[in-house]
Amino acid sequence: HVQLVESGGGSVHAGGSLRLSCSASGYRYPKNKVCMGWFRQAPGKECEGVAAISSGGGSAYLADFVKGRFTISQDGAKNTLFLEMNSLKPEDTAKYYCAADRTLACTSGSWAITQLYDYWGQGTQVTVS
């Protein structure tokens, strides 16, 4: 039974930083490259891709609206995905979700497509005031 659990959310002032973590259990962090991503959803808005990276290494993908501010990384030994968020803005306020694909690596054309991901966490709230 695969479970993704996010942590690290909270409330910060604009310009502040947070580091989100996604711990994967029942899901041996795959050596074969599969796509692991972060998404977010604000009230009244659609879920949108924030960042993604293929497990075991490979290119990282970032949405334009977070480039230069957010960084995605991973620790395969600890089955953990991270999202380092700096220079936070009020418009970054949302619930952030970790997601993992079962078989496919990230590509530039697909990493932000929510329907392609097989596993999702419950989310962690980020509020920027």
Side-chain angles (χ1 to χ4, degrees):
H1 175 66
V2 175
Q3 190 172 18
L4 302 176
V5 179
E6 302 93 338
S7 61
S11 296
V12 296
H13 293 301
S17 299
L18 286 172
R19 188 192 197 202
L20 305 185
S21 298
C22 172
S23 177
S25 61
Y27 182 54
R28 184 174 180 179
Y29 211 87
K31 295 180 180 179
N32 297 326
K33 294 182 178 182
V34 296
C35 198
M36 310 282 291
W38 287 98
F39 289 77
R40 70 185 188 185
Q41 187 167 24
K45 295 188 177 181
E46 292 188 355
C47 186
E48 60 184 357
V50 176
I53 189 169
S54 291
S55 63
S59 297
Y61 299 95
L62 292 167
D64 287 343
F65 51 80
V66 301
K67 283 180 180 178
R69 301 188 298 124
F70 291 11
T71 303
I72 186 170
S73 62
Q74 58 189 322
D75 184 338
K78 297 182 179 180
N79 285 10
T80 305
L81 184 71
F82 302 101
L83 184 68
E84 187 78 35
M85 305 187 296
N86 298 311
S87 302
L88 283 161
K89 304 175 181 179
E91 51 263 44
D92 293 318
T93 295
K95 197 164 189 179
Y96 284 70
Y97 297 89
C98 172
D101 194 289
R102 189 168 51 193
T103 58
L104 299 176
C106 301
T107 69
S108 59
S110 66
W111 72 268
I113 300 174
T114 58
Q115 293 89 335
L116 297 183
Y117 289 80
D118 299 294
Y119 307 114
W120 291 82
Q122 293 300 306
T124 185
Q125 179 67 36
V126 171
T127 303
V128 185
S129 59

